[in-house]
Amino acid sequence: MTTEAVLVVGAALFGIGVFGALSQQSFVMLMMGIELMINGSLLVLVAMWARAASGSPDGQMLAIVFMTVMAVEMSLGFALITGVYRVRRADITEKLRKLKG
Amino acid sequence: MTGALIDLSFAAFSLVAIVAGVRVFRTDSMVRAAFYLLASFAAAGGIIVLLGAEFLGMVLILMMAGEMLVMAIVMVMYMMNPAGLNPMVMVHQPRTAVVAGVVAFLAIAGVGLSGEVPSRPAPNPAAATADLGRELLGNSMLVFQTAGVTLLATMVGAIAVAAPRGRYGDAAEGSEEPGLQPDEEASA
C-alpha cells in the first residue's frame, strides 16, 4: 500500500462525488455526492498524516473537523429538504426555479 | 499484519469504495443508493484503519452507519420512487458532470502522483490513538469544543428550519407562489 495508491483512491472518490453533486436532481442524491467528496478528501488527509506528518496528532484533529463538517452538512441538508418540501412539495432541484417565496 | 496482507486488504477496500461509490449514482433504488454509499464509506474507513488511524476509521464507520439509516428514512419519506420499482434516471447536465468528475479525478491524482511525499511515517496505531486522546483534551481542546458548539448550533438551526411553525406563524406563510397576474394580489 503505497501513499500514491491511497491518493489515487481518494481522488477517484472525489471525482465520483463531483459527478454526483453536479448531475443529480434529487436533493438527497446531491448530498450523497458532497459526502463522497468530503470522504475522498478525508482519505487523502489521513494518508498524508500517516505517511508524512511523523504522527503529529494535529492531522487527526483536522480529520475530526472534517467529520464535524460532514455531520453539519447532513443535518442541515435534511432540515432544508424538510422545509422545502413543506412549503413547495419539491423533491428535485428543477422544482425550485425561484428561491424567494 | 504482514505487508502482503495489508496490500491485499487495501486493494479489496479500494475496489469496494470506488465500485460502491459509482453504484450510488447508477442504481434505480434510492434506498439501495444509501446502502451503497454506506459500503463505500465503510471501505474508506477500512483504508483509514489500515493507515494506522484506527480511532478515526472506526468513528467514520459508526457515524456513517447512523447517517445512512437517517438518509434512507428521508428518502422513503420525501422522494418519489424510493423503492426502485421503476427504472430511474434523474440527472441533469450528465455530460458536463462526467467531464467535471473525470477532470477533478485526473487533476487531483496528477498532483498526488507528481508531488514527492516526504516519508515520515506515524508511530504504531496504539501510540497514535493515545496521542490523539491527549491532544483532544489538551492542546486542541478549543478545537474540540468549537466542533461541539458548532454541532449544537447545527441542531438548533436544523430544528428551526424544519419546524412547521416559526416564531411569527406558519412556516409556509408568505411562501406561496405569486399569481400570474400582477394585480391578482392587490385586488384580493
Side-chain angles (χ1 to χ4, degrees):
Chain A
M1 178 171 59
T2 61
T3 311
E4 282 78 13
V6 187
L7 297 188
V8 169
V9 173
L13 286 178
F14 191 91
I16 298 168
V18 168
F19 161 73
L22 286 181
S23 71
Q24 297 296 311
Q25 290 184 317
S26 155
F27 293 130
V28 181
M29 300 291 277
L30 203 152
M31 276 163 60
M32 286 186 178
I34 299 174
E35 290 281 301
L36 271 174
M37 280 156 73
I38 304 180
N39 195 24
S41 6
L42 186 69
L43 200 57
V44 170
L45 172 71
V46 174
M48 294 311 265
W49 165 81
R51 295 297 166 84
S54 41
S56 149
D58 296 347
Q60 295 204 59
M61 278 312 298
L62 191 54
I64 287 181
V65 172
F66 270 46
M67 287 186 188
T68 313
V69 170
M70 270 181 172
V72 169
E73 179 252 316
M74 283 298 254
S75 48
L76 276 182
F78 286 138
L80 285 173
I81 289 174
T82 307
V84 160
Y85 188 81
R86 207 187 288 287
V87 174
R88 294 281 181 81
R89 305 278 145 195
D91 61 352
I92 59 171
T93 49
E94 262 70 4
K95 288 190 187 168
L96 289 184
R97 291 198 183 280
K98 276 179 295 205
L99 275 180
K100 194 167 184 302
Chain B
M1 275 200 285
T2 57
L5 196 55
I6 289 183
D7 281 345
L8 205 65
S9 350
F10 171 68
F13 281 141
S14 315
L15 197 70
V16 172
I18 292 173
V19 170
V22 172
R23 291 285 295 165
V24 167
F25 302 111
R26 309 294 305 174
T27 177
D28 283 340
S29 153
M30 290 195 163
V31 174
R32 259 177 243 147
F35 286 111
Y36 275 125
L37 188 59
L38 177 57
S40 173
F41 272 112
I47 299 176
I48 290 176
V49 169
L50 284 184
L51 282 167
E54 293 178 344
F55 177 73
L56 290 179
M58 296 320 280
V59 165
L60 183 71
I61 293 175
L62 283 176
M63 199 178 99
M64 284 306 141
E67 245 183 56
M68 288 311 129
L69 289 180
V70 176
M71 203 171 230
I73 292 172
V74 168
M75 304 236 219
V76 175
M77 282 199 301
Y78 295 125
M79 300 293 152
M80 59 165 114
N81 188 27
L85 298 176
N86 303 314
M88 174 186 78
V89 181
M90 285 182 28
V91 290
H92 47 201
Q93 50 182 14
R95 209 159 291 158
T96 321
V98 169
V99 170
V102 170
V103 167
F105 166 64
L106 289 180
I108 299 172
V111 170
L113 291 179
S114 63
E116 199 165 306
V117 182
S119 182
R120 290 197 296 271
N124 62 334
T129 305
D131 281 350
L132 176 64
R134 283 194 204 93
E135 180 79 11
L136 274 178
L137 298 179
N139 289 337
S140 294
M141 196 175 210
L142 187 61
V143 179
F144 193 42
Q145 287 292 325
T146 311
V149 173
T150 309
L151 286 174
L152 178 68
T154 307
M155 278 193 264
V156 174
I159 293 170
V161 170
R165 274 189 64 79
R167 188 173 173 184
Y168 301 108
D170 211 44
E173 204 175 307
S175 312
E176 305 297 326
E177 297 253 344
L180 289 175
Q181 304 296 327
D183 295 332
E184 211 174 50
E185 278 178 66
S187 61

